[in-house]
Amino acid sequence: MTPSSAQAPPSPTVVDADHQGPPGCGNGGWVCGLLADRLEALAPGSGELPAVEVRLVAPTPVGEPLRWEVEGRAGERDVAVRLLDAHTVLGVARPAPSPSLHVPDPVSLEQARAAADGYDLTGHPYPGCYVCGPDASAGLHVYAGAVAGREGVHAAPVTLPDAELPTVFAALDCPGAFAVGFGVDALLLGTFVAEVRSPVPVGRELVVMSWDEGREGRRRHCGTALLDGDRVLASAAATWVDVGRRRIPGTAPAAGDAR
């Protein structure tokens, strides 16, 4: 279908530095939430396609005016939205079925606190990341550490300042990378299929958990879930790509890394 700018917002979208991931780039989960929010205004009611699939094509620059294009017609099942920097496509969002995940048994708030306390922040590659950066003054400070006695499961407490899709999707973002090798491999978010199942409480501690769903070459698959006690409020299936440290701004190559 031919992209149309007629249905796009009249003013540009700007991702500010408070919502960055790697230096100078928008946090992947936050950007996915922006795309999902725009899609929600155009797509039909949940029905058979209650989730959104976002494919991130290029890093989103911080502080630059970005524009939107719409594929298809509002209200149709195959409507899609694209976020662009000039003529460069940054991401595409489409309606999707619920993410195909087997969510592990819930992690308690006490277990999540202990897991986060055990996470070593020394040498964090993106200290200004909105979600997991220790130096992000306005960030979520989600440090998803390994849960004791739960092989392959990571978790952390999180308190959300609002329940908007960019914030919720951001909380589901970085914990997945922690479960599949963040800090060892140079990972960028590739695809993100997410669904919000229940209203998300604001201003009190919830739990975000993540787990490894396998890998294929440089692709790392994982699941994440936002929990309120035993209830799954939102979930996401993500694919991360090991792109090599030289491809990520502000990240020095590791010793022997020639990619």
Side-chain angles (χ1 to χ4, degrees), residues 105-244:
D105 291 338
V107 173
S108 71
L109 185 54
E110 292 72 21
Q111 289 174 312
R113 288 171 179 161
D117 287 344
Y119 188 83
D120 184 4
L121 291 170
T122 305
H124 192 296
Y126 314 136
C129 175
Y130 170 66
V131 178
C132 65
D135 296 344
S137 58
L140 298 180
H141 300 284
V142 178
Y143 310 123
V147 178
R150 300 285 302 276
E151 184 177 357
V153 176
H154 287 58
V158 59
T159 301
L160 301 182
D162 60 68
E164 301 299 322
L165 288 179
T167 304
V168 174
F169 280 23
L172 291 169
D173 171 29
C174 295
F178 281 56
V180 294
F182 177 73
V184 177
D185 298 324
L187 303 176
L188 286 180
L189 185 61
T191 59
F192 194 74
V193 182
E195 176 185 13
V196 178
R197 306 183 187 184
S198 301
V200 176
V202 171
R204 64 179 174 86
E205 276 189 309
L206 305 172
V207 169
V208 60
M209 63 183 292
S210 59
W211 59 96
D212 193 335
E213 289 261 328
R215 54 187 64 192
E216 302 168 301
R218 293 190 176 186
R219 288 178 170 79
R220 312 284 190 261
H221 305 293
C222 65
T224 53
L226 185 65
L227 308 175
D228 184 11
D230 292 340
R231 289 195 307 132
V232 177
L233 304 174
S235 60
T239 298
W240 293 81
V241 182
D242 178 5
V243 297

Side-chain angles (χ1 to χ4, degrees), residues 67-80:
R67 66 185 185 88
W68 297 93
E69 288 182 344
V70 177
E71 300 176 21
R73 296 180 179 275
E76 294 184 347
R77 284 185 49 171
D78 58 354
V79 67

